[in-house]
Amino acid sequence: MEPRSRSFYVLAGFFGLFLLFLYGPTFTIAILSFQGQQGGLTFPMRGTSLHWFRDLFEQQAVGDIWGSFRRSLALGLMVMVTTVVVSVMGGLAFRKRFAGNAVLFYLVITALVIPSILISLGVGLIFSQLGLPIHWASSGFGSQLTWTLPFGLLIMFAVFNRFDKSYEEAARDQGASNWQTIRHVILPIIAPSLIGVALFGFTLSYDEFARTLLTAGSYNTLPLEIYGMTTNVTTPVIFALGTLTTAFSLVIIAVFLLTVWGLNRRRARQGSDAGKGMV
């Protein structure tokens, strides 16, 4: 084995500092959430306990933690489903190279470069001018789609650009209709990518702050609620909330990853069984 060069250790050290900068605040919050009952918001810790996690499940004097969590969860699921459906339909449509597809593509991508707070302000003004109520399930839902849909479409464009059309042609040669081809051929093949789009859509929606700030109406989502609590809550209960929301996000990611792993394993097993059958 050849000895590693000095540049390798320099780059490894730089990468380690980057990881520390990226995840250090999260680890700090997780540690502080285990403060003792008399602990505060800063170091040094005054003992260790689970007191603030228990206190989190009791009625809080400030904030509606669990109501905002339910709203964020519902909004995230709505955005996730819509992003997956529209992204797949858009990916299928763009393969046909219809008139004006380039203009439409750039219009979709433009939403990524416009400052999020301007999107939130614009959507809020549109709803106000139309006399529609500003609510997290309507205006908030629309503003978040301007964030998640471009990512979903970009992923689907990449997937369909390398999709082998011979699978579809073979299905049609066997008498499959367009819907049967999509359902039994295309969707199973791109299933891992669909799960990736779903995960992207949910996580982007779940922690979105700027695009929801002026479009959530009277009821906060969880990021807005946490932001409001930072000016009122003076106990480590807010650290406990941050730790639990982070753990929830990691659980969601783990579920999606296990689902992808299961789909890939089943596909590999089916391919192996088909190969044995041919032998």
Side-chain angles (χ1 to χ4, degrees):
M1 182 178 179
E2 297 182 2
R4 300 187 184 277
S5 63
R6 182 179 300 177
S7 61
F8 169 81
Y9 294 101
V10 172
L11 292 175
F14 179 78
F15 182 67
L17 290 175
F18 170 74
L19 291 179
L20 181 62
F21 175 79
L22 188 63
Y23 295 106
T26 302
F27 287 126
T28 302
I29 288 176
I31 293 172
L32 288 174
S33 64
F34 292 96
Q35 285 266 25
Q37 190 168 350
Q38 302 302 321
L41 297 176
T42 59
F43 283 112
M45 294 178 63
R46 299 177 183 176
T48 58
S49 71
L50 297 175
H51 169 77
W52 303 110
F53 288 95
R54 292 192 296 268
D55 188 63
L56 185 62
F57 288 90
E58 298 177 359
Q59 182 66 37
Q60 300 294 316
V62 178
D64 180 19
I65 296 175
W66 299 111
S68 61
F69 170 76
R70 288 190 294 270
R71 287 188 285 273
S72 283
L73 180 61
L75 183 57
L77 293 175
M78 291 165 55
V79 171
M80 178 187 73
V81 173
T82 306
T83 301
V84 171
V85 173
V86 176
S87 296
V88 173
M89 295 173 64
L92 291 171
F94 270 84
R95 291 199 306 170
K96 302 298 183 180
R97 298 289 189 267
F98 55 88
N101 65 328
V103 176
L104 182 58
F105 170 78
Y106 287 114
L107 284 176
V108 171
I109 302 304
T110 301
L112 295 178
V113 299
I114 299 176
S116 298
I117 192 66
L118 293 182
I119 295 289
S120 179
L121 177 61
V123 173
L125 287 175
I126 290 174
F127 271 72
S128 297
Q129 292 299 318
L130 294 177
L132 300 174
I134 297 178
H135 193 267
W136 60 269
S138 55
S139 54
F141 173 66
S143 64
Q144 289 196 3
L145 284 178
T146 65
W147 182 233
T148 60
L149 279 178
F151 285 107
L153 286 171
L154 287 174
I155 294 174
M156 284 295 103
F157 292 163
V159 169
F160 283 117
N161 278 338
R162 63 175 186 268
F163 188 86
D164 190 351
K165 295 184 178 180
S166 62
Y167 294 115
E168 300 174 76
E169 295 171 357
R172 293 192 179 95
D173 289 341
Q174 296 297 319
S177 63
N178 290 334
W179 169 243
Q180 289 174 326
T181 302
I182 293 175
R183 179 182 177 185
H184 298 290
V185 178
I186 297 178
L187 292 182
I189 292 176
I190 67 172
S193 299
L194 293 181
I195 293 175
V197 172
L199 178 59
F200 225 149
F202 180 84
T203 53
L204 288 176
S205 169
Y206 180 70
D207 66 355
E208 178 58 29
F209 175 82
R211 294 181 189 242
T212 320
L213 181 61
L214 302 176
T215 57
S218 302
Y219 298 97
N220 287 338
T221 58
L222 188 58
L224 297 178
E225 195 69 29
I226 293 176
Y227 177 76
M229 291 176 64
T230 58
T231 60
N232 298 304
V233 177
T234 58
T235 64
V237 69
I238 194 170
F239 294 147
L241 175 60
T243 301
L244 284 184
T245 54
T246 302
F248 175 76
S249 300
L250 294 176
V251 168
I252 293 295
I253 293 173
V255 168
F256 276 90
L257 290 177
L258 289 174
T259 304
V260 172
W261 177 78
L263 288 173
N264 288 334
R265 186 176 181 183
R266 186 175 68 176
R267 182 182 300 174
R269 188 186 304 116
Q270 291 175 346
S272 177
D273 293 341
K276 292 179 180 178
M278 292 178 64
V279 174

